[in-house]
Structures are given as structure tokens and as C-alpha cells.
Amino acid sequence: DIQLTQSPSSLSASVGDRVTIACRASESVTNELNWYQQKGGEAPKLLIVDATTLKTGVPPRFSGSGSGTEFSLTISSLHPEDFATYFCQHGYSMPWTFGHGTKVEIK
Amino acid sequence: QVQLVQSEAELKKPGASVRISCKTSGYNFKDNALHWVRQAPGQRLEWLGWVNAGDGDTSYSYKFRARVTISGDTPTTTAYMELRRLTSEDTAVYFCARGPRIPFFGSYHFDYWGQGTLITVSS
């Protein structure tokens, strides 16, 4: 199975800060990497597909980059509603696996 | 709008089986696959398997293959997941999630999720 390692596990930031979350795959997944946001016990929400493509309706302050084994999610200016946990997931081959998550907390 | 509404929480004893449901609406049921993904306390999300709603084809993670059955019912646009021989390690929130019909070429993803069903396994 392809393992996904996210860093950091958590971070504290303020409204308006720029935040970057990394996701490393144990082997190349080309560009087949997706990002999700999860608030509390709610269902995850899909943010980005194919490493860089924002899902319709996702604010442009979110962006994704990377290919192969190294990926990142950037929030250019944190809004209050962005404090949540973010997961990466590879869509390359079954079994699809997820990163352990990065919790973005208010400083 | 697309909605996935799951059944209520379950409390089961070790060794028992559980079957939970995921009622879908707002799209053509046959056009997509439905997956089950679980989240145990403090653990990462874990994919269990899928059913292609259009043809009933299924596939499972090898970790769960011997214990899980996923199915879809077209008339009621509902997907089901049965997990057998439960242990305390199966205590988790189980999500259904919609994905593109399989086979799919591109980054496979889950675009809509149910609200989650807590399954607690305890004696």
C-alpha cells in the first residue's frame, strides 16, 4: 500500500497567515493526489483534485502543488472558517489511502 | 443537491455483525460508485471498499475482504455495508462516500460524504 505522511501534524496560526501543509507519498502517485478539509466530527469535504485543481466552490485562497511523491496544500490567508483538519489522499491505485491529517488551530 | 444520509449509531458485542445504510439523493444513483471509509479514534481515514451502483460490481481492501460486504439497492438508491466478526478495533465512525464510476482514469476521489455512523464494539 502507498503510505502518505503529512507534516506537520498540527500547527497554530492566526487569521490572515499563510499556511502550507506537506504530504509525502511512499512511491510516486504522479499527480493523483487529493486534499480534504474536516471540521470536528463532520464529514470530510473535498477541496482539491489532481494535486492542483480546486473543486467548484472552494475559495481561491486554497491551492495545491506537487507531483510524484511531494505535495503541498497552501492557504494564502487564513479565514476563521479554515481552522480544521486537512487530509491528503492518493487516487493512484487501490487501496486508496489517506494521510494522518494536519490540524490547523488558532494561535 | 447531492445528499448521503446514513443510519444511526450502533452498539455491538464482540463477534457480532453490523449492517449500516447510506441513503442517497440528488443525483442518478447508477452513475457513481459508493464507498465506505472509516475513522477510528485518533487514527487516519481507512478505505474499506466500494460498490458500482450501476452494475453492482464490488471491490474490497484486502484487510477487510473476509469480513465486509458492500451492496447497493437501485430502487431505494441506498448503499449498505455489513461488517462481521466485530472486535473492539472496529470501533470507529464509518462514512459512506461517493466517487466516480469505476474504472476511472485520473485521481480517484470522494466528492460527497455521508454524516458518519458511529459503531461501538464493546462487551
Side-chain angles (χ1 to χ4, degrees):
Chain A
D1 299 0
I2 296 172
Q3 304 300 314
L4 297 179
T5 302
Q6 285 183 238
S7 60
S9 296
S10 65
L11 63 91
S12 295
S14 302
V15 172
D17 284 353
R18 179 184 180 89
V19 164
T20 297
I21 297 166
C23 177
R24 172 177 290 179
S26 59
E27 59 186 84
S28 176
V29 296
T30 64
N31 70 328
E32 295 181 10
L33 193 286
N34 312 310
W35 289 96
Y36 299 82
Q37 176 193 68
Q38 186 179 33
K39 295 182 180 180
E42 297 178 4
K45 172 187 173 185
L46 178 64
L47 298 176
I48 290 173
V49 180
D50 293 338
T52 61
T53 303
L54 258 61
K55 187 185 174 190
T56 302
V58 174
R61 62 180 180 273
F62 290 91
S63 64
S65 64
S67 65
T69 61
E70 303 286 341
F71 300 88
S72 62
L73 170 70
T74 297
I75 309 171
S76 60
S77 177
L78 271 174
H79 285 208
E81 61 268 29
D82 300 338
F83 292 96
T85 299
Y86 294 85
F87 297 93
C88 55
Q89 171 247 328
H90 82 81
Y92 186 70
S93 60
M94 285 187 278
W96 299 296
T97 58
F98 295 81
H100 57 76
T102 296
K103 187 173 185 179
V104 177
E105 299 176 300
I106 300 174
K107 185 183 286 185
Chain B
Q1 72 280 23
V2 175
Q3 288 191 306
L4 282 65
V5 179
Q6 298 182 223
S7 50
E8 296 297 312
E10 300 265 8
L11 174 61
K12 293 292 183 180
K13 294 191 183 302
S17 298
V18 68
R19 187 183 193 226
I20 58 178
S21 65
C22 173
K23 168 67 176 173
T24 73
S25 60
Y27 72 99
N28 188 342
F29 183 71
K30 289 187 174 183
D31 285 349
N32 291 82
L34 285 163
H35 301 254
W36 291 91
V37 179
R38 77 179 187 182
Q39 188 171 37
Q43 302 297 313
R44 68 182 68 200
L45 292 158
E46 186 172 31
W47 173 77
L48 281 74
W50 56 260
V51 58
N52 252 349
D55 59 15
D57 195 17
T58 57
S59 183
Y60 305 112
S61 167
Y62 58 80
K63 178 178 176 179
F64 299 100
R65 190 165 296 160
R67 297 197 295 133
V68 70
T69 300
I70 295 173
S71 60
D73 182 66
T74 299
T76 61
T77 66
T78 300
Y80 298 91
M81 190 279 295
E82 180 186 41
L83 190 61
R84 300 176 290 277
R85 301 193 297 277
L86 294 167
T87 73
S88 59
E89 294 185 349
D90 294 316
T91 294
V93 176
Y94 288 73
F95 293 99
C96 62
R98 192 186 80 161
R101 185 185 301 171
I102 296 167
F104 174 78
F105 301 98
S107 183
Y108 201 85
H109 55 276
F110 310 103
D111 60 356
Y112 289 93
W113 295 63
Q115 83 277 18
T117 297
L118 174 63
I119 296 175
T120 303
V121 184
S122 175
S123 55

